[in-house]
Amino acid sequence: MEKEIENLWREVRELSLGSEIDRLHSPPSPLHFLRDYVSQSKPCVISNAISHWPALKLWSDPAYLAGALSNDLVSLHLTPNGCADAVTPVSDDTSAGDLCFASAHVEKVPFPEALQAVRSSSSKGENVGYLQQQNDCFRTEYSTVASDCDGDIAWATEALGCSPEAVNLWIGTDLSVTSFHKDHYENLYAVVSGEKHFLLLPPTDVHRLYVQRYPAANYSYHRDTETFKLEIEQPVRHVPWCSVDPYPSPEREASERLKYPFFFDGPEPFHCTLKAGEILYLPSMWFHHVSQTPGEGGYTIAVNYWYDMQFDIKYAYFNFLQSVSYESSSLSPILSWREDEDSESGDGEEGWVGERCRKVLAAPTLWPPVICRMGFTSRPLSFSIR
C-alpha cells in the first residue's frame, strides 16, 4: 500500500497541480475561478483584486488603527514562543518526550493595548502576542474598521454560490507561526500589510504529516510574574494534529528527518509568498503552514474569508484515504481514522466536522469534478486488505 500512496503524491502533481502555484494578474471571472481552481482543488494567487481597499493605505499606520479601534475590546492571544494551536512539549524537559496540543492564553483587552502587545513581542520569543481570534472576528470585534475592506470577494461569492460564513482578521509579527493544519472551508486569504509565507500540501498528502492524537492543553499567563503555565485539560480531550515541523532547529533536524521521512523525502511542498494587496485561494482540506514578515507598521495584517465547503464525495474520498494505514519505516506510526468517528476532539478545527458532515455528506454531486477536486486520477489504486 505504501507504494500506491507514494505514487498518488507524484501523480497529482504530474497530472493536475504542476510544481508551482498559479499567479493571476487580475481577478478571474466567476466561471474561470470555479472551472480552473475550485473544481480542481487547485490554489492560486490573485493580484490587483483588492487595490481599491482603503485598508491597504490606512492599516500600515498603527496610529490610525489604535485611534479607529480605541474603544473596542479584542481577543489577544499570548504564548511564550509564538506557536499557538501547535504540538508542544508538556514540560520544559524536552527529553521527556511528552507532547500536547497547546492553545494560547486569551484575554479581552482594549485594541491599543493589544496592538502594543503584538508589536512589542519579545525578540527572544518569551512573550508573543497575536491577534488571531477567528470565529468571524472581523465582523464582530473589528466591525469599526470593516468598511476599510470589502464584505466579501465578489467573484468568489458568485462562483461558490454563497456569502462568506466567517471573515477573520490576523495581526502578528514574524515571531508568530501557524503549524501545519487544514480547514474545512474554501479560503480567500488577503494580505493587507507585510508578507505571509505559505507551505502547502494537497489533501492527498495527508499521510506525510503524521497526524497523531495529542492531549489538549492551554497556556495561562500570570502578569505579576510574567510567566506562562501549560496545563493539560481535565477531563483529558485529544486533538488530531499534524506532527511535522517543516523548519526544525539545526540540532533537531537529523532526528526529525528520521522520524518523518515521508515529509522530508517526499515531493517538495508548494511554496507561496503573499505580498500586500494579493489574495491566495486556498482550497478546502489543503494543509498549510504559515509564517510572516512584518510590513511598515512593524506587523503583518491579513483578512481571510471562509466560504462553506461542500461535504460531498470529495470529502468521502479524503475520509477514506486518511483511514488507510500502511507500513512505514518511520519511528512514528501513521495514524488512520475517520473524521466523522472522532468523538474525542472538540476544538474548532476538528470537533464540529463529524456532526456537520453527517448532515450533508449525502448531498448529490457529479463524479468527474469531485474526483478532480481531490486530486485523484481516474486510475484506481490497487491494494490488498489483510
Side-chain angles (χ1 to χ4, degrees), residues 327-349:
E327 293 297 323
S328 167
S329 59
S330 168
L331 297 180
S332 298
I334 298 176
L335 176 67
S336 62
W337 86 101
R338 291 180 55 87
E339 290 187 340
D340 52 359
E341 294 175 354
D342 180 22
S343 60
E344 286 189 288
S345 173
D347 65 294
E349 160 64 19

Side-chain angles (χ1 to χ4, degrees), residues 69-118:
L69 293 162
S70 60
N71 297 319
D72 295 275
L73 292 176
V74 299
S75 299
L76 173 64
H77 293 237
L78 295 170
T79 62
N81 54 15
C83 298
D85 297 338
V87 175
T88 303
V90 174
S91 67
D92 293 335
D93 181 12
T94 57
S95 62
D98 293 331
L99 300 173
C100 64
F101 174 79
S103 296
H105 171 83
V106 184
E107 55 186 45
K108 282 288 190 75
V109 300
F111 177 80
E113 180 182 336
L115 184 61
Q116 179 59 27
V118 170

Side-chain angles (χ1 to χ4, degrees), residues 56-57 59-62 119 192-195 293-300:
L56 286 177
K57 295 181 179 179
W59 289 7
S60 293
D61 180 4
R119 299 178 70 209
V192 175
S193 180
E195 297 179 351
T293 300
E296 295 178 8
Y299 44 67
T300 304

Side-chain angles (χ1 to χ4, degrees), residues 313 317 365-372:
I313 294 180
Y317 268 118
T365 187
L366 298 177
W367 276 67
V370 168
I371 295 174
C372 290

